[in-house]
Amino acid sequence: DAGVIQSPRHEVTEMGQEVTLRCKPISGHDYLFWYRQTMMRGLELLIYFNNNVPIDDSGMPEDRFSAKMPNASFSTLKIQPSEPRDSAVYFCASSRDSEYTEAFFGQGTRLTVV
Amino acid sequence: AQSVTQLGSHVSVSEGALVLLRCNYSSSVPPYLFWYVQYPNQGLQLLLKYTTGATLVKGINGFEAEFKKSETSFHLTKPSAHMSDAAEYFCAVSDMKTSYDKVIFGPGTSLSVIP
């Protein structure tokens, strides 16, 4: 398996624009996570899905953020409208449905909002 | 509420020297503990984990960590540092075996290895 695949790797956008980050989890994994990493706040869990259903989105910072998982092999994280403070590295991770096994992380998307 | 502290945001060691990265946690119940490593421009990768049983846990790349309940610590060690160990290391704690939203990550420690 190629691992968790995220696209794009880098995104630079202007404030106010819509940004969509994409993730393909590892085949057969039932859990999918979106994290945000910044120098100030470290690694934060934004939302996670189990079998394509959002379980906990309490980490989503604002209504400007939304995430979907239309099928087992694809998820998106959308920011609309984007703001400079959204600049961060966004990671997607996936895991199997069992007692805690490791979460496999993608390489991340580095988002810069100018 | 759980929390994780990592003493030292940056640690430098010489190649071949002992690596010691400190992690202390707070948890009201027996914790599950993890160490992740992040290489530049990469995602996090699990190094090792403690769930139950033996308190000395061995992980990949020669790393190990010991769970000390009395000290609420889970320090990461490696006897001899290699240049390839230079990375960011994150300690994490969870109080539930299958509640991923309960996994709390520490702020991370950046390890530099000096030739």
Side-chain angles (χ1 to χ4, degrees):
Chain A
D1 199 306
V4 176
I5 299 173
Q6 291 186 247
S7 64
R9 290 293 311 278
H10 302 274
E11 176 79 37
V12 180
T13 190
E14 292 185 347
M15 182 175 62
Q17 296 298 305
E18 176 181 296
V19 176
T20 300
L21 312 182
R22 297 173 175 80
C23 175
K24 181 181 186 307
I26 293 173
S27 177
H29 282 191
D30 299 285
Y31 284 87
L32 183 139
F33 313 87
W34 282 101
Y35 286 89
R36 178 172 68 176
Q37 185 179 41
T38 62
M39 289 292 292
M40 291 296 294
R41 301 175 68 89
L43 196 64
E44 304 171 278
L45 177 65
L46 300 178
I47 184 172
Y48 76 97
F49 296 82
N50 181 21
N51 292 323
N52 313 336
V53 176
I55 303 301
D56 188 341
D57 65 355
S58 60
M60 297 284 262
E62 299 173 35
D63 291 345
R64 299 184 295 106
F65 286 70
S66 62
K68 294 182 180 180
M69 192 167 186
N71 57 61
S73 59
F74 184 66
S75 177
T76 60
L77 177 68
K78 184 178 293 186
I79 308 172
Q80 167 63 20
S82 58
E83 297 182 3
R85 59 192 168 124
D86 302 330
S87 298
V89 180
Y90 291 82
F91 288 104
C92 176
S94 69
S95 181
R96 288 183 289 121
D97 183 12
S98 67
E99 85 175 42
Y100 193 92
T101 55
E102 64 182 287
F104 290 81
F105 283 72
Q107 292 184 298
T109 295
R110 182 175 295 277
L111 173 65
T112 303
V113 183
V114 297
Chain B
Q2 302 168 89
S3 66
V4 179
T5 57
Q6 293 182 238
L7 184 62
S9 60
H10 187 87
V11 171
S12 291
V13 299
S14 298
E15 190 174 15
L18 172 71
V19 176
L20 171 60
L21 304 182
R22 299 179 187 276
C23 172
N24 289 88
Y25 68 90
S26 66
S27 177
S28 58
V29 299
Y32 300 97
L33 297 158
F34 313 89
W35 275 101
Y36 279 85
V37 60
Q38 183 181 26
Y39 298 104
N41 300 314
Q42 299 290 320
L44 277 69
Q45 178 184 4
L46 184 70
L47 269 179
L48 49 79
K49 63 183 178 185
Y50 167 80
T51 53
T52 59
T55 56
L56 181 63
V57 180
K58 295 186 184 299
I60 62 173
N61 301 338
F63 284 93
E64 62 182 35
E66 186 171 11
F67 168 55
K68 292 187 176 181
K69 182 178 178 181
S70 61
E71 299 178 8
T72 61
S73 69
F74 190 57
H75 301 331
L76 181 71
T77 60
K78 181 175 180 178
S80 176
H82 192 273
M83 295 299 294
S84 61
D85 295 326
E88 189 88 14
Y89 292 81
F90 295 89
C91 181
V93 63
S94 174
D95 64 357
M96 295 182 71
K97 193 176 287 187
T98 55
S99 286
Y100 300 95
D101 56 321
K102 304 298 184 187
V103 176
I104 306 299
F105 285 85
T109 296
S110 177
L111 175 66
S112 298
V113 181
I114 304 167

